[in-house]
Amino acid sequence: MRFSKHTHLTRGRNLPAPYFGKLAFRSFLALLGLGFWLNVSTAQTVLIDPAGAGGFELGATFAANGWSVSSGTNNPWFVGVPGGGTDPAAPMAGNKAYVSNDAGATRVYSITAPCQNYFWRDITVPAGESKIILTFNWEAQGESTWDLWQVFTAPTSIVPVGSDTHPGSGANNVPTTITGATFIGNGNLQGTVQTATLYLPPNLAGTTFRLIFLWKSDTSGGTQPPAAIDNISLVSSVAGNYVSVATGDWTAPATWGTADFPSPSDNATIST
């Protein structure tokens, strides 16, 4: 996140009281003086389409959707629709990636069988598009920091190898098999469909990197079902410019007079 010089930053709570009580007016004057510097929607590059490869709707395998996969014997990843009442609810309809211990028939894992299993794809981000947002739907139970999904970015030289070993407890640890990767996010302990929104490092702009998903589980404890992931979306754009137009919460679009709010990659100005 970049901020203009001599501004106040308040995140996750109300902004400071406007100087002379005219923050909105000052922002309007700034808009007149700076042209359309105030944030407007910018074109996005779709890097993963949730209606296609990101939704696993191009076929019933990872390869058919342009993904690579490496799983050990225990609790491997599958693409399809799990049966036995283990398929997540909408919006995770149709094919999805999920963990299974019965050749994909159901979304159930062997709690006492350790594993670290991966799927991934390579992504090229246009130069200058440093605002890179990953979103997807997921559902998973599991166990504390032992049984969960994780997401990483890595150089394309790093090749994940699934195995029947647990990489160690930790919500944000990087397995030794992908040393050099960068932790992005994780999740578990949710029995209903969730939406993850993750911001990737801005320095990935103009590069090709590997986006990696991991399921890991150990030899004891845990709650069914394991991970299911669907509707993966990855978009990039040029960082936006935001000027506050009202006092309010940082994440409230009305604070900025836009349909969204500044991401860690955007420029944000708060009048003093």
Side-chain angles (χ1 to χ4, degrees), residues 218-231:
D218 69 337
T219 58
S220 64
T223 301
Q224 304 288 355
I229 293 175
D230 198 5
N231 303 320

Side-chain angles (χ1 to χ4, degrees), residues 70-71 116 118 120 159-163 177-178:
S70 180
S71 295
Q116 55 177 310
Y118 303 87
W120 68 91
V159 181
V161 177
S163 69
T177 54
I178 55 170

Side-chain angles (χ1 to χ4, degrees), residues 57-84:
E57 299 301 337
L58 304 181
T61 65
F62 283 100
N65 290 278
W67 297 85
S68 298
V69 62
S70 180
S71 295
T73 303
N74 299 334
N75 307 317
W77 286 103
F78 287 87
V79 168
V81 180

Side-chain angles (χ1 to χ4, degrees), residues 112-124:
T112 59
C115 71
Q116 55 177 310
N117 297 323
Y118 303 87
F119 70 91
W120 68 91
R121 71 186 295 132
D122 293 345
I123 306 293
T124 299

Side-chain angles (χ1 to χ4, degrees), residues 240-252:
N241 298 306
Y242 291 73
V243 177
S244 57
V245 298
T247 300
D249 290 340
W250 181 271
T251 57

